[in-house]
Amino acid sequence: MQFKLTRSISCVEEIIQDERPRSYGEKLDAYRAAAWATYKSKPMSHWILLTLSSGAMLIAFPASSLLSRVYYSNGGTSKWIISWVAVAGWPIPALVLIPMYAVLGIFPTPLTFNLVISYITLGFLSAADNLMYAYGYAYLPASTASLLGSTSLIFSAIFGYFLVKNKINASTINAIVLITAAMAIIALDSASDRYGSVTDKQYAMGFVWNVLGSMLHGLIFALSELVFVKLLGRRSFHVVLEQQVMVSLFAFMFTTIGLVLNNDFQTMASEATSFKGGRSSYLSVLIWGVITFQLGVLGATAVLFLASTVLAGVVNSIRVPLTSIAAVILLNDPMSGFKILSLVITFWGFGSYIYGNYHASKDSS
């Protein structure tokens, strides 16, 4: 099926190149023909699943970010609790994975010693990553934390270059420069980009931990790719889900240990009574935080498998401004001219990265 898809697209591209359309109308017709050929090459179920998966990314990830900020703005204080919420939903992808074994007649990937060690390592790093992001949401507006989170693209490219030997082209370098400039603009505008109760020290701490979390997230992404290259050797949907389940399980274990050592299970009980809106509101924020985070991860996994990393990058680039706009509307986040400029530059950086990787993948195929 993949061969037929590639062949149909290449045929259309040859037609486009041979005809050399002279007008924009002819070019538009050629692109429509290519899009139609791509659409017809896959069954309707494929496009339905791809639409649902993209929608999950665009809705669940912003919702998870906003819920983390709501937790702190309504009376929550613990960094460990929000870190725990991010991985407490690890059984959700497992509920999707287990039926696949019976329906598709496949077997779980054998667990070797090296594979288990890699899952434990990634789980520990994920637990630390979630804790760093929790500091960001505790002291920064959700819109700012989302923008800073986009720096993970920079670190993914850098670590991917050194660990997996991925290529860095001019578009990627341009994206790195643009996104770095956007983050510098936010840092310079810190005076107008904070809540009244947040001190200079807390804002700086949230800013630094958020960027460090993005750096660690980029490392995790590169190491995950390295696991596929060195240990798994294949990238099917159920194998990707297996990795997600195992890494989340170990991250859940590490985070639960931190929660216990910090006595934060007792903190949950006291926070629930003093939380704005009461106990039911407190539980709703935590439960929906668990669900939305895992739905976003499932959506991202499905988009990567059903389409490509390029489309996943496109959806992720749309997610950043969606989160920022939603935070301004729903949470009254401060939105200065400098932050708007930073948002535009970040979106530009994403566009440069997607454009470069699209042509790189096209040339390699």
Side-chain angles (χ1 to χ4, degrees), residues 148-161 168 172-173 175-181 183 214-215 218 350 353:
L148 291 176
S150 65
T151 57
S152 62
L153 177 68
I154 297 174
F155 299 112
S156 295
I158 294 174
F159 286 123
Y161 174 78
I168 293 183
T172 302
I173 295 174
I176 291 173
V177 172
L178 288 171
I179 294 176
T180 302
M183 299 310 106
S214 297
M215 181 176 69
F350 270 115
Y353 178 82

Side-chain angles (χ1 to χ4, degrees), residues 8-120:
S8 63
I9 293 175
S10 62
C11 289
V12 173
E13 288 178 344
E14 288 175 4
I15 294 172
I16 294 172
Q17 291 173 357
D18 291 340
E19 291 182 353
R20 289 185 173 86
R22 298 177 181 177
S23 67
Y24 286 107
E26 289 176 331
K27 290 182 179 179
L28 183 60
D29 289 339
Y31 285 124
R32 284 176 179 171
W36 180 250
T38 303
Y39 172 75
K40 294 296 289 183
S41 66
K42 293 287 186 180
M44 180 59 68
S45 58
H46 171 90
W47 301 112
I48 293 175
L49 284 174
L50 184 58
T51 301
L52 291 175
S53 302
S54 301
M57 283 186 69
L58 292 176
I59 295 173
F61 275 142
S64 175
S65 299
L66 296 181
L67 287 168
S68 296
R69 184 56 234 171
V70 167
Y71 166 80
Y72 289 112
S73 61
N74 286 8
T77 58
S78 173
K79 315 302 183 298
W80 281 106
I81 290 176
I82 284 299
S83 303
W84 186 78
V85 164
V87 290
W90 69 267
I92 295 177
L95 292 175
V96 177
L97 177 63
I98 293 173
M100 290 180 63
Y101 293 135
V103 174
L104 301 179
I106 54 180
F107 296 94
T109 303
L111 289 175
T112 63
F113 176 78
N114 288 337
L115 192 56
V116 171
I117 293 299
S118 69
Y119 287 156
I120 293 174

Side-chain angles (χ1 to χ4, degrees), residues 149-345:
S150 65
T151 57
S152 62
L153 177 68
I154 297 174
F155 299 112
S156 295
I158 294 174
F159 286 123
Y161 174 78
F162 287 106
L163 297 178
V164 197
K165 307 304 178 184
N166 290 336
K167 294 181 179 178
I168 293 183
N169 52 35
S171 296
T172 302
I173 295 174
N174 185 51
I176 291 173
V177 172
L178 288 171
I179 294 176
T180 302
M183 299 310 106
I185 291 172
I186 292 181
L188 294 173
D189 190 43
S190 61
S192 62
D193 183 45
R194 70 180 68 188
Y195 297 114
S197 58
V198 176
T199 65
D200 291 344
K201 182 179 179 180
Q202 288 174 331
Y203 185 91
M205 184 185 300
F207 194 100
V208 170
W209 280 118
N210 205 316
V211 173
L212 289 176
S214 297
M215 181 176 69
L216 186 54
H217 189 78
L219 175 62
I220 292 170
F221 190 86
L223 289 176
S224 299
E225 188 174 355
L226 190 64
V227 169
F228 277 102
V229 172
K230 298 293 185 180
L231 300 179
L232 295 173
R234 56 190 178 130
R235 193 188 292 270
S236 61
F237 186 57
H238 82 276
V239 173
V240 176
L241 270 184
E242 284 174 344
Q243 187 192 56
Q244 179 59 40
V245 170
M246 295 301 296
V247 171
S248 295
L249 172 60
F250 284 115
F252 173 76
M253 291 178 178
F254 286 120
T255 308
T256 302
I257 292 172
L259 205 69
V260 171
L261 294 177
N262 206 45
N263 295 320
D264 275 350
F265 278 116
Q266 290 82 356
T267 302
M268 285 185 183
S270 60
E271 282 186 347
T273 57
S274 60
F275 197 76
K276 184 178 179 180
R279 179 182 177 84
S280 60
S281 178
Y282 182 78
L283 292 176
S284 295
V285 168
L286 296 187
I287 292 172
W288 279 109
V290 169
I291 295 172
T292 53
F293 188 86
Q294 291 301 323
L295 285 180
V297 170
L298 275 174
T301 303
V303 169
L304 283 170
F305 176 73
L306 293 170
S308 64
T309 54
V310 176
L311 181 60
V314 171
V315 177
N316 192 56
S317 65
I318 297 173
R319 176 182 66 86
V320 173
L322 275 182
T323 305
S324 299
I325 293 170
V328 172
I329 296 173
L330 300 176
L331 304 181
N332 296 318
D333 264 21
M335 181 61 76
S336 64
F338 283 108
K339 185 183 285 188
I340 294 174
L341 177 61
S342 177
L343 183 61
V344 171
I345 295 176

